[in-house]
Amino acid sequence: MRHLRVPSAETQHWLELCRSQNWLQKGAGVITLEDGMKGIPLSENAPSETDECWSNNSIFSAQGLTKGPEHWSEHLDQKLLQDIGKELPKSYEIQGDILIVKLEEQTLEYGKAIAEAMLKQLPSVRLVCADNGVSGEFRVRDLEPLASRNEDISTVTQIKENGVLISTDPAKVYFSARLSQERKANLSVAQILSKKLSRPLRICDPYAGVGPSLASLLRDDNLVSECYAGDLNPDAFELLKHNIAHFISKSSNPLRELKIENIDARKWKDELNGEQKIDYLLVNLPHQTLEHLPELLPLISRGHPTVIRGWAIIDRDTLSFQEEKIAGQIKSAGGKVESIKTSEVKGFSSSKIFMRFESWQIFNRSV
Ligand SMILES: C[S@@+](CC[C@H](N)C(=O)[O-])C[C@H]1O[C@@H](n2cnc3c(N)ncnc32)[C@H](O)[C@@H]1O
């Protein structure tokens, strides 16, 4: 590749000139030469050495310092890129070593080529899958493997979140990396409650999925004494058991009690024989959280502060009524709400709102 030899101090000037004239070789970098000189990579459009525009700077040939493509689409052949046109996927999601991409109907036939280009650009990705939408009772994504780096098309993968490895399978269970900030906040709130009660907590995560919220709660020293977790999806339940075993193997505090069940969340009150013992409850079934909540309130322990953190999808114009509605449910179950706060969780593009609520209450012992 041809390079223009220029004094180091003039590099910026020559770079700007070459860029403005379309003489700069794309994807190649400036090379450092001896005696304080630099070599600017020139494209085929750049004039020859004899041209006056170079002000007597010489041109030499050297192997280019290739930066490589900056975007996966640069690995696609030009004709294909033109055919795909505006329908080129603009975003994708990565879970562990799996890349998940939504393809428009017109691009389906180019799925394999797109996936192979993505594998070339992203060395940490093993498998590229097309996301054909959510389906079924557990709102799991229908994933179609498009290309794999090594013939392995298993959709089981591991995600590292807040320093902990979590096994998941995006083709069989729900997991949202976008909620990792919520899970961090779950930990801070649990720590505040535990301090207030001066003891470790009895926690319940009845819609636990593969257990990302428990990852940090169970690893924190002396934060949890009893843990009740479950999920109705049998695939999530299997991964949950595996993940919890991994989380507690990293903790120095043995749990007094651990129960993991493949049950409907509303059955936990029977599972715990009507014992009202949960200090900290997570309610994460966004499409039904507010309907299920009354059936979970009998789990809450009595006579001292407790916390419920939940997530729900609601109509945008109903946000202002939600605090009153949730407080009303708690009151009907015999609780006195000390504080309740609802807020929108940003980053969910929808005409609806993804809302978080956090309520602190004390349930009367006699109910
Ligand atoms: C939104 S996901 C939350 C998962 C997990 N807490 C997380 O943050 O990744 C809801 C979970 O509830 C499970 N689920 C659905 N209906 C359920 C029910 N009636 N009882 C218990 N779990 C249920 C789904 O399988 C799913 O894993």
Side-chain angles (χ1 to χ4, degrees), residues 61-336:
S61 195
Q63 189 161 21
L65 189 68
T66 338
K67 285 194 279 187
E70 285 175 7
H71 191 261
W72 62 265
S73 60
E74 291 169 45
H75 295 279
L76 288 174
D77 127 347
Q78 282 303 312
K79 163 87 177 61
L80 208 121
L81 205 51
Q82 265 174 14
D83 289 349
I84 299 176
K86 279 205 222 122
E87 304 302 340
L88 195 74
K90 293 190 185 51
S91 61
Y92 52 76
E93 179 186 337
I94 292 184
Q95 286 198 16
D97 61 359
I98 302 179
L99 184 151
I100 300 166
V101 60
K102 276 203 172 98
L103 297 176
E104 294 299 331
E105 209 166 318
Q106 303 91 308
T107 28
L108 289 177
E109 61 177 303
Y110 307 112
K112 190 158 173 61
I114 289 176
E116 278 165 358
M118 289 172 154
L119 285 175
K120 279 192 188 137
Q121 183 68 13
L122 303 159
S124 60
V125 172
R126 169 182 54 86
L127 177 68
V128 178
C129 291
D131 178 351
N132 295 333
V134 290
S135 64
E137 186 188 356
F138 303 119
R139 308 183 61 79
V140 168
R141 280 193 275 205
D142 175 10
L143 293 188
E144 177 191 342
L146 295 171
S148 160
R149 186 174 299 287
N150 56 7
E151 309 289 307
D152 178 3
I153 57 161
S154 159
T155 47
V156 176
T157 189
Q158 286 193 314
I159 290 165
K160 196 163 198 175
E161 186 176 280
N162 303 326
V164 189
L165 277 178
I166 303 169
S167 295
T168 187
D169 181 342
K172 293 187 176 159
V173 304
Y174 172 93
F175 177 89
S176 169
R178 285 183 297 179
L179 290 175
S180 77
Q181 289 309 318
E182 293 300 304
R183 298 190 273 264
K184 266 194 185 166
N186 286 346
L187 175 62
S188 320
V189 174
Q191 287 164 334
I192 296 169
L193 179 63
S194 168
K195 207 163 173 192
K196 201 162 188 158
L197 301 183
S198 306
R199 60 167 173 80
L201 305 175
R202 299 181 291 250
I203 65 171
C204 183
D205 187 1
Y207 311 92
V210 297
S213 297
L214 298 168
S216 40
L217 292 172
L218 291 181
R219 279 197 339 152
D220 203 75
D221 277 351
N222 236 3
L223 181 64
V224 176
S225 57
E226 297 178 32
C227 172
Y228 303 92
D231 200 283
L232 193 53
N233 174 348
D235 293 307
F237 168 66
E238 289 305 325
L239 285 157
L240 178 64
K241 280 193 295 186
H242 168 88
N243 284 331
I244 289 183
H246 169 68
F247 305 152
I248 56 182
S249 73
K250 303 272 169 205
S251 157
S252 48
N253 287 86
L255 292 171
R256 202 161 56 209
E257 176 122 25
L258 170 65
K259 247 183 185 221
I260 310 167
E261 300 292 341
N262 178 208
I263 56 171
D264 186 305
R266 292 164 291 188
K267 297 262 183 323
W268 272 103
K269 50 187 182 313
D270 309 324
E271 194 63 35
L272 298 185
N273 300 320
E275 266 188 90
Q276 298 163 323
K277 54 154 64 179
I278 302 303
D279 305 313
Y280 191 60
L281 174 69
L282 299 177
V283 190
N284 189 358
L285 188 62
H287 291 274
Q288 286 171 290
T289 284
L290 301 174
E291 284 160 60
H292 280 213
L293 186 59
E295 299 207 48
L296 302 173
L297 295 176
L299 297 169
I300 305 288
S301 61
R302 313 275 138 172
H304 60 79
T306 55
V307 175
I308 306 171
R309 273 173 69 83
W311 294 266
I313 291 170
I314 54 158
D315 285 329
R316 191 162 280 281
D317 52 359
T318 67
L319 183 64
S320 54
F321 319 136
Q322 299 297 337
E323 287 178 5
E324 208 179 316
K325 186 172 165 187
I326 298 164
Q329 291 182 347
I330 294 171
K331 199 169 164 208
S332 308
K336 183 169 178 302

